[in-house]
Amino acid sequence: MTFKMASCSWAENILQLLRKMNNFYLPGSCRSSCFRFEIEGAQVGWIPPHVASLLARYPDVFSPPHQGAVTLCHGLDSYEKRSEAVSHVLQALRQEPSLTCLKGWRDEKYSVMPRFSDCPLMWMERAATSLFGVKRYGVHINGYTVSDSQEVCMWLARRSHTKQTYPGLLDNMAAGGLAAGVGIKHTLVKECQEEACVPAAIAKKARPVATVSYTYEDEEGVFPESQFVFDLELPLEFKPIIGDGEVQEFYLLPIDKVKELLATDDFKPNSAMVVLDFLIRHSYIDPDTGLWVFAKCPQSKKQLTALVLFLLSFQSRTIRTL
């Protein structure tokens, strides 16, 4: 096993992670120049200006920007009409070389709605959601063990080198996006079975513990995401087995080692935030020497901003919509 080690202090690296994963709300982002994406008067995303200019080619689907918002044409007044019209546009835009995210087309439908509790207004190809800043939801599972001496270890996965995103990086034991029309619990059991060969009877024992939310931007668009987080205590004798090929290896590591790896670039960023949430909830972050030291004496406004975003990102609460 080969792992990358952190070169700077742990807390500094974690703050860098938090800034990266919430950079859409930090000074210098594209947020001020983005158009709101609205359907039926409700905002469902953020459209960067270069995407809005491409959408102007399709006036029968997208209305021209007005008062800072891009909307769908009035005739697209149903879930089916909106979904099909936008899908045709996206198929055409796959030929646009500047839209690199569409090269990772997955044929996966994601729901588009203002809030998770709202009825979906349409579906959209997963690979295109960042072009519209549509919020994506997923399920992440912290698989861990507790020994007879109460030592806690966590199962981590090494992503396959053939993965479209973040190939070869460390990840949660199992995780997956929430497809349109598929429930949280179903996704949990499915991902556990497919990625780690966890029997359904064990996977169903996972406890809903938190949501981790963030919004970042990169060259492919805007990514507002919320991850539904589950803790799953596994039997000591259980070992995950590679299932669908999305993982190349599993590791069972002591929590101190997991914490150390969290501050390296060897971890998939959003999964690192999920593990960080685990460490906080289970009191593995020392209040005097851990991340909280920046709350006492922030070295800069940027660090203080990152800490505030951190506090807002981790919302430990039970999921009631299973």
Side-chain angles (χ1 to χ4, degrees), residues 22 211-214 306-315 317:
N22 284 291
T211 58
V212 173
S213 302
Y214 47 86
L307 188 60
V308 171
L309 288 169
F310 163 81
L311 294 170
L312 293 174
S313 296
F314 296 96
Q315 307 162 41
R317 59 177 179 266

Side-chain angles (χ1 to χ4, degrees), residues 11 15-16 18-19 22 25-27 291-312:
L15 284 170
Q16 288 178 13
L18 296 174
R19 284 196 293 269
N22 284 291
Y25 291 105
L26 293 179
L291 191 64
W292 309 113
V293 70
F294 287 102
K296 300 177 182 177
C297 185
Q299 296 176 2
S300 70
K301 288 184 178 180
K302 284 188 176 180
Q303 287 176 329
L304 182 58
T305 301
L307 188 60
V308 171
L309 288 169
F310 163 81
L311 294 170
L312 293 174

Side-chain angles (χ1 to χ4, degrees), residues 21-268:
M21 296 304 289
N22 284 291
N23 63 8
F24 185 68
Y25 291 105
L26 293 179
S29 77
C30 72
R31 185 185 178 198
S32 62
S33 60
C34 284
F35 296 96
R36 301 184 308 279
F37 179 34
E38 296 182 352
I39 300 177
E40 292 188 342
Q43 183 175 358
V44 294
W46 294 96
I47 301 180
H50 74 282
V51 176
S53 64
L54 294 174
L55 299 180
R57 301 175 186 174
Y58 307 93
D60 55 334
V61 178
F62 296 96
S63 298
H66 178 65
Q67 296 183 344
V70 171
T71 62
L72 296 177
C73 292
H74 293 300
L76 302 175
D77 55 2
S78 70
Y79 178 93
E80 292 78 12
K81 289 179 181 178
R82 298 182 196 113
S83 303
E84 292 304 320
V86 173
S87 179
H88 288 314
V89 170
L90 293 175
Q91 288 287 355
L93 289 177
R94 292 180 71 178
Q95 308 307 315
E96 184 65 36
S98 65
L99 303 181
T100 55
C101 62
L102 297 185
K103 298 186 186 304
W105 196 274
R106 298 180 181 229
D107 284 322
E108 292 183 34
K109 298 177 181 178
Y110 272 25
S111 294
V112 178
M113 58 267 195
R115 297 181 299 263
F116 185 74
S117 58
D118 294 331
C119 291
L121 298 173
M122 59 174 288
W123 59 260
M124 182 179 289
E125 158 62 30
R126 175 178 179 174
T129 53
S130 62
L131 300 178
F132 295 82
V134 167
K135 191 160 192 176
R136 310 195 300 187
Y137 297 88
V139 176
H140 283 241
I141 300 94
N142 292 308
Y144 69 99
T145 61
V146 182
S147 70
D148 293 338
S149 61
Q150 299 304 299
E151 180 187 13
V152 176
C153 293
M154 180 175 282
W155 281 104
L156 297 180
R158 174 78 69 184
R159 292 165 68 86
S160 169
H161 285 291
T162 61
K163 289 282 290 180
Q164 289 184 3
T165 57
Y166 304 103
L169 295 189
L170 292 172
D171 203 343
N172 298 112
M173 181 189 72
L178 206 60
V182 181
I184 296 173
K185 201 66 171 285
H186 178 88
T187 301
L188 159 74
V189 174
K190 170 178 171 290
E191 296 298 335
C192 281
Q193 288 181 316
E194 291 181 353
E195 294 186 359
C197 296
V198 179
I202 294 179
K204 289 178 180 178
K205 295 180 180 179
R207 296 182 299 109
V209 290
T211 58
V212 173
S213 302
Y214 47 86
T215 303
Y216 68 93
E217 65 174 39
D218 63 18
E219 64 280 357
E220 295 194 339
V222 181
F223 295 80
E225 297 184 344
S226 283
Q227 308 300 339
F228 298 112
V229 181
F230 289 77
D231 284 355
L232 176 58
E233 182 176 348
L234 293 162
L236 291 171
E237 66 275 10
F238 176 81
K239 292 184 179 181
I241 299 172
I242 297 171
D244 57 9
E246 295 191 3
V247 172
Q248 58 175 299
E249 196 169 359
F250 288 103
Y251 312 110
L252 182 62
L253 301 175
I255 283 297
D256 285 345
K257 182 67 174 179
V258 173
K259 180 181 175 181
E260 183 181 359
L261 290 169
L262 207 59
T264 72
D265 58 2
D266 202 21
F267 235 107
K268 182 170 177 274

